[in-house]
C-alpha cells in the first residue's frame, strides 16, 4: 500500500527549490533541492514526476502567493489609480520581503518549460488586475501603447523599486511611492 503524501513534505520541497534556484539557477540538480529539504532524493519524485513538473508547480505556488499579497484588502470600488496603486504596493512589498521568490519567479517566466496549463492556472488569480487594465483602457487613461508593453514597464520598474527598498529599508515606503508615481506618470495621458 502506497504511503500517503505529506503536504508538509511537498511544501518543504517547494521552499527548498526556491532557495536552491535563487542561489544556483533553474539548472541546479534535484539532489541540491532534496539536500536542502532534508529528504531522500527519491522522495522528490514521489511528489513531482519530473524536475519540469516541480518548476511548474513552484511557479503556480509563487504566483498564487504573489496574487494573495497584491489583492489582500483590494479596494474594488475605488478609482483605477487607487486600485493600481494597491496592487503595486502589494507587489513591491511582497518582492521586498521575498527576494528569493521574486528572483525565481523571474527565472521561471523566461524558462522554456513553463506550460500553458501553469500559465493559465497562475493567471486566473489575477482577474482583478486584468479588470483594472480593462477599466483604464475603457476610460482612456493609458497612453496608446500595447498593454503587454505597459505591463512590462510595470514589472521592470517594480523590480528596480524592490531593489532600492531592500537596500534602504528605512526608506522603503518612500521608494515604493516614488516607483508608483513614475509608473503612473509614464503610462497615463496628461
Amino acid at each position: 500500500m502506497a504511503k500517503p503524501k505529506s503536504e508538509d513534505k511537498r511544501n518543504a520541497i517547494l521552499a527548498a527549490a526556491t532557495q536552491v534556484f535563487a542561489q544556483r539557477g533553474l539548472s541546479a540538480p534535484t539532489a541540491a533541492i532534496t539536500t536542502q529539504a532534508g529528504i531522500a532524493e527519491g522522495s522528490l519524485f514521489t511528489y513531482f514526476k519530473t524536475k519540469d513538473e516541480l518548476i511548474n508547480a513552484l511557479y503556480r505556488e509563487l504566483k498564487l502567493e504573489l496574487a494573495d499579497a497584491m489583492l489582500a484588502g483590494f479596494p474594488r470600488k475605488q478609482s483605477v489609480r487607487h486600485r493600481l496603486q494597491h496592487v503595486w504596493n502589494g507587489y513591491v512589498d511582497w518582492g521586498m520581503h521575498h527576494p528569493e521568490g521574486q528572483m525565481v519567479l523571474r527565472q521561471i517566466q523566461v524558462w522554456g518549460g513553463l506550460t500553458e496549463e501553469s500559465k493559465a492556472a497562475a493567471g486566473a488569480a489575477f482577474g482583478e488586475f486584468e479588470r483594472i487594465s480593462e477599466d483604464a483602457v475603457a476610460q482612456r487613461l493609458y497612453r496608446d501603447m500595447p498593454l503587454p508593453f505597459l505591463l512590462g514597464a510595470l514589472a521592470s520598474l517594480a523590480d528596480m523599486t524592490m531593489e532600492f527598498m531592500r537596500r534602504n529599508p528605512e526608506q522603503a515606503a518612500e521608494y515604493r511611492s516614488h516607483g508608483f508615481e513614475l509608473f503612473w506618470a509614464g503610462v497615463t495621458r496628461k
Side-chain angles (χ1 to χ4, degrees):
M1 184 159 151
K3 185 177 176 183
K5 293 181 183 178
S6 160
E7 192 66 26
D8 289 342
K9 194 174 279 189
R10 181 183 185 279
N11 291 339
I13 293 168
L14 292 172
T18 300
Q19 291 176 324
V20 169
F21 292 150
Q23 294 166 358
R24 299 174 63 177
L26 297 180
S27 63
T30 57
I33 296 167
T34 56
T35 299
Q36 181 71 33
I39 61 170
E41 190 166 354
S43 292
L44 184 144
F45 298 107
T46 300
Y47 292 84
F48 306 99
K49 292 178 182 137
T50 65
K51 184 178 176 184
D52 284 2
E53 185 178 304
L54 166 65
I55 295 171
N56 274 278
L58 181 58
Y59 172 78
R60 290 188 302 271
E61 289 291 321
L62 289 171
K63 288 292 272 190
L64 290 174
E65 184 181 309
L66 175 57
D68 286 347
M70 290 169 63
L71 298 173
F74 187 72
R76 282 183 177 79
K77 298 185 187 269
Q78 298 291 322
S79 68
V80 167
R81 178 188 168 98
H82 190 82
R83 287 181 287 157
L84 188 58
Q85 188 165 16
H86 178 90
V87 168
W88 168 272
N89 290 347
Y91 180 38
V92 297
D93 285 348
W94 178 84
M96 179 186 173
H97 296 295
H98 300 91
E100 290 178 333
Q102 182 216 5
M103 182 184 303
V104 171
L105 198 51
R106 278 188 286 162
Q107 291 175 39
I108 296 172
Q109 287 172 325
V110 297
W111 172 63
L114 192 58
T115 66
E116 291 303 317
E117 179 185 353
S118 291
K119 290 177 191 177
F126 291 86
E128 288 294 341
F129 185 68
E130 289 177 20
R131 278 188 276 291
I132 295 170
S133 296
E134 291 167 1
D135 288 350
V137 168
Q139 295 173 29
R140 298 198 31 85
L141 294 174
Y142 288 161
R143 295 173 185 253
D144 290 326
M145 295 181 207
L147 191 55
F149 182 79
L150 292 175
L151 297 176
L154 173 78
S156 295
L157 190 53
D159 285 346
M160 181 196 74
T161 301
M162 289 176 223
E163 185 58 35
F164 273 85
M165 290 169 69
R166 278 191 219 91
R167 281 193 252 154
N168 305 287
E170 66 284 348
Q171 295 175 290
E174 185 179 339
Y175 283 122
R176 182 179 69 188
S177 177
H178 289 326
F180 178 77
E181 292 303 325
L182 281 173
F183 174 72
W184 186 255
V187 300
T188 56
R189 299 173 189 273
K190 302 290 181 223

